[in-house]
Amino acid sequence: EPEVTQTPSHQVTQMGQEVILRCVPISNHLYFYWYRQILGQKVEFLVSFYNNEISEKSEIFDDQFSVERPDGSNFTLKIRSTKLEDSAMYFCASGVGWQFFGPGTRLTVL
Amino acid sequence: GIQVEQSPPDLILQEGANSTLRCNFSDSVNNLQWFHQNPWGQLINLFYIPSGTKQNGRLSATTVATERYSLLYISSSQTTDSGVYFCAPPGGTSYGKLTFGQGTILTVHP
């Protein structure tokens, strides 16, 4: 069964550093998403992406964040200058109606 | 945006017991997903259920869109059912962001 994959599974970084989280969506899906979940809280939407452009973004998704689909398979989330409060689990999802989630990348900012 | 409330917030069961989890939402929706977040943090798709009732093994779900609620039934619970259950309707279009509730934390004791 096809699935969404994410790398790395865990990333530790220093405050102020740039990180890139990678995702490979399910191949025939057209809509891609990033969500995050701070420990103990609910899952929050960050951004959706369709037809090579952002279709919607939340207030969380400020200028520090960017997304890219550099080739036909990968979908990336970049955080330019990480803050302590960016520590969270980041989920990638793809869908054609209902959304399938990857296993997540746990980002720890020290 | 749409508001999502889940109840109860916590539920403790003995193995073999049945339970009903509820999800209320503030606006009409044209689909809704239920997820199980396991102890490793993975979000597992349970149901995509815009309306009506679906069953998958010991789990079933019912969405009554006109009354703005969905129910998840777990029968003969097992310790592996423990975790957090989220409902998530989309905001806006069918392909839009999912808005997650706060979740129900289920603990099943042997």
Side-chain angles (χ1 to χ4, degrees):
Chain A
E1 185 174 319
E3 56 184 21
V4 178
T5 59
Q6 291 186 242
T7 54
S9 56
H10 193 182
Q11 172 107 39
V12 181
T13 190
Q14 295 290 325
M15 192 168 55
Q17 294 297 303
E18 174 182 287
V19 295
I20 298 176
L21 310 183
R22 291 183 168 80
C23 169
V24 179
I26 295 172
S27 61
N28 62 341
H29 286 180
L30 301 177
Y31 294 83
F32 314 114
Y33 312 82
W34 285 100
Y35 294 82
R36 80 171 186 189
Q37 184 182 32
I38 295 170
L39 189 63
Q41 298 186 21
K42 65 180 181 180
V43 179
E44 301 173 288
F45 167 77
L46 292 178
V47 65
S48 58
F49 193 85
Y50 170 73
N51 202 25
N52 285 319
E53 60 183 25
I54 290 173
S55 48
E56 187 176 4
K57 60 183 180 179
S58 71
E59 292 176 354
I60 304 168
F61 194 88
D62 61 21
D63 292 343
Q64 294 297 323
F65 293 87
S66 62
V67 290
E68 198 177 38
R69 188 156 163 80
D71 52 43
S73 59
N74 291 285
F75 181 49
T76 62
L77 175 70
K78 181 192 291 186
I79 310 175
R80 287 190 184 82
S81 178
T82 50
K83 308 182 185 75
L84 295 176
E85 54 265 35
D86 293 329
S87 294
M89 179 79 95
Y90 288 79
F91 292 102
C92 172
S94 69
V96 283
W98 61 328
Q99 297 179 26
F100 293 82
F101 281 66
T105 292
R106 184 167 298 284
L107 177 65
T108 303
V109 182
L110 303 175
Chain B
I2 191 169
Q3 304 297 313
V4 182
E5 288 186 12
Q6 291 187 243
S7 59
D10 297 275
L11 187 57
I12 300 173
L13 301 174
Q14 287 297 125
E15 204 166 28
N18 302 328
S19 61
T20 301
L21 282 56
R22 187 176 180 103
C23 172
N24 292 332
F25 38 91
S26 59
D27 296 327
S28 59
V29 300
N30 49 24
N31 67 53
L32 182 140
Q33 290 184 236
W34 281 97
F35 296 89
H36 174 215
Q37 187 165 41
N38 64 22
W40 296 270
Q42 293 179 312
L43 284 167
I44 310 299
N45 267 314
L46 296 178
F47 293 101
Y48 170 78
I49 182 162
S51 63
T53 297
K54 289 187 178 179
Q55 179 142 14
N56 185 3
R58 296 180 295 104
L59 274 59
S60 65
T62 295
T63 296
V64 184
T66 53
E67 297 187 23
R68 301 181 182 176
Y69 72 90
S70 184
L71 302 173
L72 178 69
Y73 307 94
I74 305 174
S75 64
S76 303
S77 57
Q78 300 175 357
T79 56
T80 51
D81 295 331
S82 296
V84 186
Y85 289 80
F86 291 104
C87 70
T93 70
S94 297
Y95 302 104
K97 63 182 181 185
L98 293 179
T99 300
F100 283 73
Q102 293 283 3
T104 291
I105 302 173
L106 176 65
T107 304
V108 181
H109 290 302

